[in-house]
Amino acid sequence: MKLEKAYSLELKQQISPVDADQKYREEKITSKFNFECPDDNCHAAVTCANLDKPKAERKVEPYYKVVEEHSEQCLIGKDILGVRRKKTNYSDIYSDADEYITHAVRLNLQPHSKKRPSDSSDMSEDEVVIKGRPRYEKDVKEEGKRKKQRSKVLSSMVDSFLNNEDITVQLPDIGTMAIQDLFVKVDGQSINSFVDEFRIYYGKAWFNECATGYRVVFANKLHFEEVEVRPSFFYSKKTC
């Protein structure tokens, strides 16, 4: 669920990300962190992501992210919680607020179906039906038929990246970007350079097997100030 407006602690009013961007350039807003939830009963901290990034370097325009828990009285927080409860498939990272974009491809994290599709199905392997309000195509004669938002499973997205295909990827809440910008090589960067958004990180790594799964350790290091470490994660055999 997108946060369309946030309360500016510096301007003492609710503003949209577009307005925040303008006020930042006018130096009336000095930090992307000086925002709160716009609900009168809540002071959850909000960050205006990409606000301090030069326009020429932006892959996505500024948008709001809530970085603290909403208060129990916050109606916005309750709405967000309600959306999360309705969302039973947590591998589907998109919400009803993500609009249909004709030329874009979504990242499909849902596991492959073990059921063989029926002959009557008109849905191809790389398509999913868009959720939410029906949106109509000019060439669709059957009233009420919904468009199919193109998507690619992770393995197909990797293949497209390696083949240097010209693909626009739609990410939840933040819009679109070129597929080459979706993939980030682990190559000695500072973790401060990473954005808090969906990305696919890649690089040479070792798979160390243990009793319950695999510990994956990247060959290259990342650093934070004076600390350097090889990023790692655990992959359970139950998910194989």
Side-chain angles (χ1 to χ4, degrees):
M1 178 179 174
K2 287 185 178 180
L3 198 62
E4 301 295 340
K5 288 188 176 183
Y7 182 78
S8 169
L9 297 174
E10 294 175 290
L11 300 180
K12 308 299 182 185
Q13 66 182 54
Q14 295 183 22
I15 61 172
S16 68
V18 174
D19 291 333
D21 192 23
Q22 178 65 35
K23 298 300 182 184
Y24 185 80
R25 293 198 300 270
E26 296 172 357
E27 299 184 352
K28 294 179 180 179
I29 290 177
T30 61
S31 173
K32 65 180 180 180
F33 302 112
N34 289 340
F35 298 91
E36 286 186 351
C37 174
D39 191 282
D40 292 335
N41 299 310
C42 185
H43 298 285
V46 172
T47 296
C48 190
N50 293 336
L51 184 65
D52 55 354
K53 185 174 292 187
K55 278 187 171 291
E57 298 178 11
R58 291 175 181 171
K59 302 297 189 301
V60 178
E61 290 302 305
Y63 63 96
Y64 290 129
K65 292 194 307 180
V66 182
V67 294
E68 286 185 343
E69 291 294 327
H70 292 274
S71 70
E72 293 183 359
Q73 296 77 29
C74 179
L75 297 179
I76 293 175
K78 290 179 180 179
D79 286 343
I80 293 174
L81 183 60
V83 170
R84 288 175 180 170
R85 284 175 175 170
K86 289 179 182 178
K87 191 171 180 148
T88 56
N89 186 358
Y90 293 101
S91 58
D92 185 356
I93 59 179
Y94 298 90
S95 70
D96 292 342
D98 292 302
E99 63 178 327
Y100 175 87
I101 301 177
T102 305
H103 65 281
V105 176
R106 291 184 176 184
L107 177 59
N108 182 1
L109 297 181
Q110 300 181 55
H112 289 288
S113 174
K114 296 181 180 179
K115 294 182 179 180
R116 186 173 182 176
S118 62
D119 295 336
S120 61
S121 174
D122 62 349
M123 185 180 298
S124 64
E125 187 179 33
D126 64 345
E127 290 180 327
V128 293
V129 176
I130 185 171
K131 302 185 300 178
R133 188 176 71 253
R135 303 173 186 270
Y136 306 100
E137 292 182 275
K138 293 180 181 178
D139 57 349
V140 174
K141 296 181 180 180
E142 182 183 349
E143 184 176 358
K145 187 174 182 179
R146 293 185 291 179
K147 286 186 178 181
K148 296 171 183 177
Q149 178 74 61
R150 291 183 59 209
S151 73
K152 284 181 176 289
V153 294
L154 182 57
S155 58
S156 295
M157 197 71 81
V158 171
D159 289 340
S160 296
F161 170 70
L162 294 176
N163 293 331
N164 202 29
E165 296 179 17
D166 185 15
I167 291 177
T168 299
V169 180
Q170 180 187 8
L171 292 179
D173 298 329
I174 63 175
T176 62
M177 65 176 57
I179 189 172
Q180 301 301 323
D181 295 324
L182 176 65
F183 287 78
V184 179
K185 185 176 182 180
V186 175
D187 193 20
Q189 305 99 314
S190 167
I191 62 173
N192 289 331
S193 67
F194 294 148
V195 294
D196 186 17
E197 301 166 358
F198 282 97
R199 293 293 188 274
I200 299 174
Y201 296 91
Y202 70 96
K204 180 180 178 181
W206 293 280
F207 283 71
N208 302 314
E209 186 175 8
C210 58
T212 57
Y214 300 88
R215 183 171 180 263
V216 183
V217 183
F218 280 88
N220 291 338
K221 296 180 179 180
L222 298 177
H223 69 88
F224 176 71
E225 296 179 349
E226 302 301 321
V227 179
E228 285 191 332
V229 66
R230 288 189 176 92
S232 63
F233 60 92
F234 180 76
Y235 189 74
S236 173
K237 288 184 177 178
K238 292 181 179 180
T239 60
C240 296

